[in-house]
Amino acid sequence: MEINIQHLEDIVGADNVTDDSETCKAYSRDVSSLPKLAGQILDDQFDAVAQPVTVESLQKLVTYSGRRKIPLTIRGNGTSGWGGSIPTRGGICVSLTHMSRVLNLDDFGLTVTVEAGITWRELLIFLNRLGSTLPVYPSSATAATVGGFVASGGFGIGSARYGDISSQIVGVEAVLLNGKLVRVGNMVLTEPDQDAARAKSGTKWFMNWLERRGGTEEPDPMSYLIGTYGVFGIITKVTMKIIPRLQLLPFAVSFETIDDLVRASIQIISEAEPYHLRFLADNYTSKLRALTGLIFEDGKFILSGALLDTIFQNEESIETIKGITETNGGVVLDIERAQYHWDERLFPLRIKRLGPSLVPAEVLVPTAEIPSLLHDVRRKLGSSRFAVEGTMDKSGLSSFLVWILDDERKTVSYTIGWHRSFDIAALAKKHGGSPYAIALWNSMHAKEFYGEQLYEEFRALKKEIDPQNLTNTMKVFGGRVAAAWPSLILGFLGGFIGLSLALWIGPEILGASWLRDALLAQPVPFMPLPLIIFIALLGGLLGFSVIKFMSLKQAMTLVLPLLKTLGRVIGK
Amino acid sequence: MKWEPYGSRGKLHVIKSIVEGREEFDEDIVQKIFMCALCEHCTEVCTTSINLDRFWEAARRYALEEGLLPPPAAYARESVLSFGDPFSMGPSNRMIWSEGLEEIIQDRINKPAEVAYFLGCHVGLNAQVHDIARSMVRILDYAGVDFTLLGDLETCCGAPLVWAGDPDSAPPVNGKNIEAMRKLGVRKIIFSCPSCITAWQSTYYQIHGKPVRDEFELLTPSQFIARLNDKGLLDYEEQPMVTVTFHDPCISARRLKTTKEPRDVIERIPGVYKVETVPSEQETRCCGSHALLNRIDPLLASQIAEMRLRDVSVTPATMVITECPRCIRAFDLARMTLGYNVELKDITQIVAGSLKPKDSGGQ
Ligand SMILES: Cc1cc2nc3c(=O)[nH]c(=O)nc-3n(C[C@H](O)[C@H](O)[C@H](O)COP(=O)(O)OP(=O)(O)OC[C@H]3O[C@@H](n4cnc5c(N)ncnc54)[C@H](O)[C@@H]3O)c2cc1C
């Protein structure tokens, strides 16, 4: 694969492409600090970054790279940590951040239509000016893009009242990986709509394809684009619901035990319908410098959030929350503390300085299971330093986020410690949960996460529009790793040495001395090499091929138990 | 600017690579470090609470040590070290602003007093913003405050040295101001420029090893005017109806946390109706002119100012009030490039212009 920058400049505009290596490096990361070992299975640096500014140029870029077999990776602002926006095969990073206009605000229908690269912060600023706000946005709102959160799905601020982001999306426009522009749901746009004709033909194609697969109702066409990490296309526009910006009243309550907190939270969600509800476990509050010495907060279990209603309703709901808290043995914090916790909603990483690195493990569990999961996590992580927090959703599910404190400067120990993140996903399953996100690192759970039927539909669409798996490769569907030379050499040596030893010791054990003699014979005249070396070379080639053609799932199955064993040795 | 290595996360990655020896500290990274207004926004929104602006200052210092300072920054530094101001104008120009106000200030220069007014180089040396100083002096005179001025003894506060990577030279430079104030028995100092306040805070600490508040109270104009209002020392005249908005200068809002006082002051003026620009207060957007950015990349600085004025343009305000001469100068240029006819005033100007003349019943 060779990337011709001039071609890319012709497609997206000369100012909108770069192959400067420093820039490519910066875009090749997401929010997590991956152990260097990851570089052994990923081609983890972009060769170029493109920032298209029009839908048409984006369509051309997709078609061009498909024809040239150039891998593409879609990126919002890289604030996620599940590997969705990092390169796995090098290639081009398609950064959406320069498609960031607000296109339509429908005051009557209560929707806003934006380009996918706008950050949630900018959108909130825009809406706040006009007296509106968003029902749901991520706590990474400062930097995360609309497209990134929609492509990831998930809970955010507002989910206690309004559910996950998918329920707020009215319409999505995306460039599918075959270059077709589709619009699903109800896109509210203002005339003139330059992309209308192309969108019409693309959507028609998509609907026909769905029809052929068994109908356009089930699964909902939007489910191909929301929460699928860009494996089918690049989201370009989103129409979503907005709500009036009513009075926002923060609250915070504190408990001695997680059981009390969870019991109270379930009642609060059903009786007070709060806008947002977040919990912090004792191991989180005891690590926040700003809470040190506060008797009702330091080392306690805190539930905080906000009500978004009229003054009258809020006052009533505050009384309800007080009642529920007191019956469950909790303490209601004063309004200043409540405001502090509300303002902190966008700063979940405050504890990072204690790391200085954080290894995240995020899962989704039924809220009622939080106490038992927390108990198991404590047992599993033993002496590791960690902190737990999460967000509650109105449907009875919670995100359960474990921040494991570590130090990436200690390369070996940091690499070994990564297995803990995957262990927690396994624990969640035991409690009726699942990983929070799939993206790259959890792709082995994809089938279970989406359900077998939907997953099969996904595979069919992928095969249809990106048969060579060139875009967001390895995300959701897993697939072959891009093994680096050191791993390939290791594979070769493993095969070579393993087979040599087997052939050396085997005949001895079996007492077949004739075999041994045959293996030591020199089959090629003028080459003083015994047969065993030639066979071992084949073993080496086999080892090399195993690594070369290994899937991500196989690589993880091989490496994780190894890390786990080493972890036991070093106490991680 | 549109590429990630110009943003804080991207720059941090590059610096990490440099620390790990995988990349060089060269002109390229220096350019990125200086294409920044040190507006405290990244510190404010940093989800991990890293004080990033201090980190960028340290990186600028490294650029100086490596001899890679961008020429406009080197010029500002040399200018402060040789002339005592970043414009190479020297002390002889420090009193031009006071023309016509001789009556008020003639006995005030270097006169012992509890209150001092520290103009700062921008207000003291740029004709475009001289009126800020003239307004402040008029307000003090109107309220009958016994105040002092350093006159041509006033020198740079040292902030441009920090921005040019030379924080070690700042204490000796501002030390002269500190000594002069001390000799006059000053306890409270009013500053027209919020960056002077932060420079005073840090240089004082560097020299004396204790917080400046132990000796001086450093105040923004609106903090002082709010006190005059509370004491009933300022009488306002009804103004022709005007809708204004207050632009929070980055340093006032994010470092000094003085967002309430200017709003209170504006609300006291009859006929002036205030609306909020979103974002505001701690979330305010920069004017682009801080930390020498207007000299290093004037075009970028102006684009940032334009962005802020666009925020204002969707409000009904016809006047932007702020509390920093640098913001005023940046917006003055941006309103021209934008073709956006909005009035600009420093808070001292609107207050001074709204006072009831003394002979018509004012005090
Ligand atoms: C401090 C912090 C708080 C967070 N809070 C939350 C939270 O409350 N809830 C939550 O769910 N997550 C949260 N996250 C994770 C992350 O921020 C979100 O998932 C976020 O929405 C990702 O947005 P992004 O623009 O950075 O996307 P990226 O990280 O760049 O991309 C995420 C995925 O989406 C794909 N993608 C991006 N843009 C598009 C597009 N236009 N079309 C198609 N695919 C695309 C990428 O290929 C990738 O697979 C948080 C992260 C941090 C660091």
Side-chain angles (χ1 to χ4, degrees):
Chain A
M1 162 202 61
E2 196 176 319
I3 294 179
N4 183 327
I5 279 290
Q6 210 164 348
H7 287 175
L8 295 183
E9 286 176 353
D10 290 344
I11 295 170
V12 292
D15 284 352
N16 302 326
V17 185
T18 179
D19 60 353
D20 167 55
S21 84
E22 199 180 82
T23 307
C24 288
K25 215 178 275 176
Y27 281 84
S28 300
R29 305 188 43 149
D30 63 10
V31 76
S32 65
S33 302
L34 284 181
K36 294 205 170 58
L37 190 64
Q40 290 303 313
I41 52 168
L42 308 176
D43 184 352
D44 61 356
Q45 170 130 7
F46 288 121
D47 301 293
V49 183
Q51 293 187 333
V53 289
T54 65
V55 172
E56 199 174 357
S57 62
L58 195 53
Q59 281 184 275
K60 285 187 184 145
L61 178 65
V62 169
T63 319
Y64 168 83
S65 40
R67 226 181 298 128
R68 297 280 168 125
K69 303 197 183 0
I70 302 171
L72 293 184
T73 301
I74 311 163
R75 190 172 192 269
N77 248 329
T79 65
S80 59
W82 311 292
S85 53
I86 61 171
T88 53
R89 294 277 192 275
I92 304 170
C93 170
V94 186
S95 161
L96 270 291
T97 49
H98 278 68
M99 292 176 73
S100 56
R101 291 174 304 163
V102 177
L103 299 171
N104 180 284
L105 180 83
D106 181 352
D107 275 338
F108 296 104
L110 286 177
T111 61
V112 67
T113 304
V114 293
E115 289 186 325
I118 191 172
T119 63
W120 291 92
R121 175 179 192 265
E122 285 301 320
L123 179 55
L124 281 166
I125 288 175
F126 173 85
L127 292 172
N128 288 352
R129 274 186 200 137
L130 302 167
S132 301
T133 191
L134 290 162
V136 181
Y137 56 92
S139 54
S140 49
T142 318
T145 64
V146 164
F149 191 42
V150 173
S152 310
F155 295 162
I157 289 150
S159 289
R161 174 82 159 254
Y162 295 99
D164 67 2
I165 183 66
S166 63
S167 51
Q168 302 310 316
I169 307 299
V170 178
V172 179
E173 179 192 89
V175 175
L176 291 187
L177 300 183
N178 54 3
K180 296 196 187 301
L181 183 66
V182 298
R183 287 181 182 165
V184 291
N186 182 21
M187 292 297 303
V188 185
L189 283 163
T190 318
E191 296 295 333
D193 170 8
Q194 278 136 357
D195 305 316
R198 276 170 290 118
K200 198 168 166 199
S201 73
T203 309
K204 193 167 161 209
W205 175 87
F206 187 43
M207 290 303 149
N208 282 342
W209 183 85
L210 291 174
E211 202 68 66
R212 285 202 305 277
R213 291 291 305 175
T216 53
E217 300 283 315
E218 256 319 303
D220 177 352
M222 267 207 274
S223 54
Y224 290 89
L225 298 171
I226 301 176
T228 50
Y229 306 92
V231 291
F232 301 119
I234 305 173
I235 298 172
T236 43
K237 298 187 185 99
V238 178
T239 299
M240 64 187 122
K241 295 180 195 164
I242 55 172
I243 51 171
R245 195 170 168 223
L246 299 171
Q247 196 215 13
L248 197 115
L249 185 63
F251 62 85
V253 295
S254 135
F255 297 92
E256 289 294 331
T257 71
I258 188 73
D259 298 84
D260 292 341
L261 178 142
V262 166
R263 228 179 305 113
S265 72
I266 294 171
Q267 288 171 24
I268 288 174
I269 288 210
S270 75
E271 291 172 39
E273 295 187 21
Y275 171 62
H276 179 53
L277 200 59
R278 176 186 184 208
F279 76 91
L280 305 178
D282 54 346
N283 45 26
Y284 193 105
T285 56
S286 59
K287 290 183 183 67
L288 275 179
R289 196 166 24 184
L291 303 190
T292 310
L294 298 178
I295 48 168
F296 295 123
E297 293 172 65
D298 188 356
K300 301 285 187 259
F301 294 85
I302 293 181
L303 194 60
S304 67
L307 298 158
L308 182 77
D309 268 312
T310 59
I311 295 176
F312 171 72
Q313 277 169 309
N314 279 348
E315 277 172 4
E316 224 171 59
S317 299
I318 278 288
E319 285 310 309
T320 311
I321 291 172
K322 268 187 189 156
I324 294 172
T325 304
E326 278 153 19
T327 4
N328 286 291
V331 175
V332 179
L333 304 180
D334 65 26
I335 182 70
E336 267 164 37
R337 297 310 303 156
Q339 185 68 47
Y340 164 83
H341 286 285
W342 172 249
D343 292 342
E344 282 296 293
R345 74 196 183 284
L346 301 180
F347 300 93
L349 303 181
R350 290 261 198 242
I351 51 169
K352 187 170 186 288
R353 69 187 171 82
L354 296 175
S357 313
L358 288 177
V359 179
E362 190 166 15
V363 295
L364 207 56
V365 280
T367 305
E369 287 292 316
I370 290 176
S372 49
L373 177 59
L374 182 62
H375 178 260
D376 284 0
V377 167
R378 279 193 216 278
R379 260 207 340 225
K380 184 106 216 158
L381 293 182
S383 59
S384 300
R385 288 180 312 147
F386 67 98
V388 173
E389 58 147 327
T391 304
M392 275 112 175
D393 162 270
K394 68 167 184 179
S395 69
L397 283 177
S398 272
S399 70
F400 183 98
L401 182 48
V402 186
W403 297 111
I404 305 167
L405 299 166
D406 210 328
D407 186 349
E408 67 192 274
R409 293 167 301 183
K410 300 176 182 154
T411 316
V412 176
S413 133
Y414 184 70
T415 306
I416 294 174
W418 260 77
H419 74 89
R420 294 171 296 181
S421 176
F422 296 92
D423 289 350
I424 287 165
L427 269 187
K429 266 190 191 170
K430 201 181 113 191
H431 293 276
S434 66
Y436 180 78
I438 296 298
L440 174 66
W441 300 118
N442 285 322
S443 57
M444 56 186 167
H445 301 287
K447 199 186 257 186
E448 227 172 312
F449 186 86
Y450 294 108
E452 206 154 324
Q453 215 174 346
L454 188 58
Y455 185 73
E456 280 317 310
E457 293 306 309
F458 282 178
R459 279 174 68 104
L461 182 62
K462 186 76 177 170
K463 209 166 155 198
E464 176 76 31
I465 61 176
D466 183 18
Q468 301 182 72
N469 200 356
L470 282 171
T471 299
N472 276 14
T473 315
M474 287 164 77
K475 323 283 164 71
V476 176
F477 299 106
R480 202 155 59 70
V481 299
W485 275 109
S487 329
L488 292 171
I489 293 171
L490 201 71
F492 179 85
L493 289 177
F496 183 85
I497 297 169
L499 200 58
S500 310
L501 280 177
L503 293 177
W504 191 259
I505 304 165
E508 195 100 329
I509 295 171
L510 297 172
S513 55
W514 59 270
L515 183 57
R516 175 113 187 249
D517 294 343
L519 286 169
L520 289 177
Q522 295 177 7
V524 186
F526 317 115
M527 259 176 102
L529 289 175
L531 181 61
I532 192 170
I533 293 291
F534 289 97
I535 301 178
L537 275 175
L538 285 178
L541 275 181
L542 188 70
F544 182 93
S545 315
V546 164
I547 301 288
K548 176 97 186 143
F549 297 105
M550 188 159 56
S551 72
L552 178 62
K553 190 172 175 180
Q554 288 159 342
M556 306 275 259
T557 322
L558 197 75
V559 173
L560 287 177
L562 196 71
L563 294 182
K564 212 165 161 170
T565 316
L566 292 170
R568 271 199 207 108
V569 177
I570 64 165
K572 267 192 169 172
Chain B
M1 272 312 272
K2 62 188 205 170
W3 302 104
E4 189 150 325
Y6 287 92
S8 27
R9 187 169 55 158
K11 276 190 288 191
L12 283 176
H13 286 162
V14 179
I15 290 176
K16 193 173 167 209
S17 305
I18 293 168
V19 172
E20 289 170 356
R22 286 184 281 120
E23 248 162 90
E24 296 261 302
F25 191 87
D26 55 12
E27 269 109 0
D28 201 42
I29 178 70
V30 169
Q31 186 212 7
K32 285 170 183 132
I33 289 166
F34 279 84
M35 269 169 88
C36 158
L38 294 176
C39 72
E40 306 277 331
H41 178 72
C42 49
T43 299
E44 180 75 21
V45 300
C46 176
T47 47
T48 44
S49 324
I50 301 172
N51 198 334
L52 286 162
D53 288 80
R54 303 294 80 71
F55 187 78
W56 307 135
E57 284 173 7
R60 287 180 182 220
R61 180 187 191 136
Y62 196 60
L64 173 69
E65 283 166 17
E66 295 289 299
L68 292 170
L69 213 56
Y75 171 81
R77 173 174 173 262
E78 276 145 31
S79 177
V80 172
L81 294 176
S82 335
F83 293 90
D85 67 73
F87 314 111
S88 301
M89 289 181 70
S92 57
N93 286 303
R94 287 252 176 209
M95 291 307 292
I96 297 177
W97 66 272
S98 62
E99 252 175 33
L101 291 178
E102 291 81 3
E103 214 176 289
I104 301 180
I105 64 158
Q106 59 188 352
D107 300 327
R108 303 224 170 256
I109 313 290
N110 286 312
K111 164 187 181 286
E114 193 187 331
V115 177
Y117 171 41
F118 186 92
L119 284 76
C121 301
H122 268 271
V123 169
L125 294 167
N126 285 302
Q128 197 187 356
V129 279
H130 278 165
D131 194 52
I132 296 177
R134 301 162 70 85
S135 304
M136 189 70 231
V137 165
R138 279 203 197 99
I139 296 168
L140 294 171
D141 181 56
Y142 187 96
V145 177
D146 180 21
F147 70 99
T148 181
L149 297 158
L150 295 186
D152 56 10
L153 279 188
E154 186 179 303
T155 184
C156 176
C157 64
L161 293 171
V162 179
W163 304 330
D166 191 7
D168 295 341
S169 297
V173 170
N174 195 40
K176 293 183 200 145
N177 293 319
I178 296 175
E179 267 322 297
M181 293 288 187
R182 196 174 256 181
K183 276 199 195 122
L184 299 175
V186 170
R187 308 299 296 175
K188 296 182 174 68
I189 313 174
I190 308 157
F191 293 85
S192 276
C193 173
S195 308
C196 294
I197 301 190
T198 52
W200 266 71
Q201 289 170 336
S202 55
T203 49
Y204 187 95
Y205 190 83
Q206 279 166 285
I207 299 171
H208 299 290
K210 59 179 182 178
V212 65
R213 63 168 177 272
D214 288 1
E215 184 172 354
F216 300 111
E217 192 180 10
L218 312 182
L219 299 157
T220 61
S222 60
Q223 283 178 312
F224 195 78
I225 295 169
R227 290 185 194 174
L228 299 180
N229 279 338
D230 290 348
K231 290 186 191 148
L233 294 173
L234 300 177
D235 269 345
Y236 296 97
E237 196 168 44
E238 179 84 25
Q239 296 300 298
M241 274 294 282
V242 59
T243 306
V244 306
T245 189
F246 183 74
H247 160 75
D248 296 272
C250 307
I251 303 302
S252 309
R254 292 195 265 264
R255 285 191 72 183
L256 304 176
K257 316 269 184 228
T258 54
T259 53
K260 188 173 172 297
E261 295 88 342
R263 288 172 171 76
D264 290 348
V265 167
I266 293 169
E267 266 159 19
R268 276 292 270 269
I269 307 172
V272 175
Y273 175 67
K274 179 181 71 59
V275 291
E276 283 296 334
T277 297
V278 183
S280 66
E281 304 198 11
Q282 245 103 293
E283 296 197 351
T284 185
R285 269 199 252 261
C286 184
C287 72
S289 266
H290 192 243
L292 305 176
L293 183 62
N294 55 332
R295 297 195 188 188
I296 290 162
D297 192 337
L299 186 65
L300 174 66
S302 171
Q303 283 166 343
I304 298 173
E306 285 175 10
M307 190 150 91
R308 183 54 173 162
L309 284 191
R310 274 195 210 102
D311 290 337
V312 175
S313 69
V314 295
T315 71
T318 55
M319 184 193 290
V320 178
I321 299 177
T322 186
E323 195 167 26
C324 168
R326 220 174 277 114
C327 298
I328 298 257
R329 297 184 71 197
F331 291 149
D332 193 32
L333 181 66
R335 67 180 169 169
M336 193 178 74
T337 52
L338 271 184
Y340 173 37
N341 201 7
V342 70
E343 252 192 285
L344 284 177
K345 281 207 168 126
D346 188 81
I347 195 142
T348 49
Q349 292 174 295
I350 183 126
V351 170
S354 312
L355 295 173
K356 201 176 264 182
K358 284 199 171 167
D359 47 18
S360 75
Q363 293 176 10

